[in-house]
Amino acid sequence: MLNAIALLFVLQLVGEVSARSMGLPVPGPVIGFALLASLLTVRPDVLLKIEGTARTILAHLSLLFVPAGVGVVANIDVLADNWLPITAVLVLSTVFAMLVSVYTFLFVERLARAPEGTQDG
């Protein structure tokens, strides 16, 4: 279990260092996750080594939301003062994410249906 956690933390650390040193607009954990996906593509046997640990972490995922809840309660005055812009940003970003997801799916579906040799690219 320690080796699996160490691997996950090392990939996250590499992602953080990469994001900060290169000034990327992507969070370090996202880069770390992409590295993990790449590693699992190249070395599928790594999945067997981290699967149990990953399942245990996911089973206790709700505990990771406790600090976020405490942060909301601790900053309730800021939320009360700025509820309208916060709500607007949440609604607009959710709608935007859904639209991007739909159009990405439609684009990929169109590429998958296109006959061989007629794909634009």
Side-chain angles (χ1 to χ4, degrees):
M1 186 174 214
L2 289 177
N3 289 336
I5 290 175
L7 174 65
L8 295 173
F9 279 150
V10 165
L11 291 173
Q12 182 176 352
L13 177 65
V14 169
E16 268 309 324
V17 169
S18 300
R20 291 178 188 223
S21 66
M22 292 187 247
L24 299 174
V26 179
V30 172
I31 295 172
F33 183 74
L35 291 171
L36 176 63
S38 300
L39 176 65
L40 292 175
T41 301
V42 175
R43 301 254 332 261
D45 59 304
V46 172
L47 178 61
L48 298 174
K49 296 176 182 173
I50 66 169
E51 183 176 16
T53 302
R55 287 188 187 279
T56 302
I57 292 171
L58 287 174
H60 298 92
L61 189 62
S62 60
L63 293 175
L64 299 176
F65 290 101
V66 171
V70 170
V72 167
V73 171
N75 294 299
I76 198 75
D77 55 331
V78 174
L79 294 173
D81 293 341
N82 299 301
W83 69 270
L84 185 60
I86 291 171
T87 302
V89 166
L90 286 172
V91 169
L92 290 174
S93 64
T94 301
V95 169
F96 180 73
M98 292 171 75
L99 289 173
V100 168
S101 298
V102 166
Y103 285 112
T104 301
F105 173 79
L106 292 174
F107 176 73
V108 170
E109 182 184 36
R110 188 178 317 143
L111 284 178
R113 286 189 186 181
E116 189 77 25
T118 62
Q119 295 177 358
D120 294 334

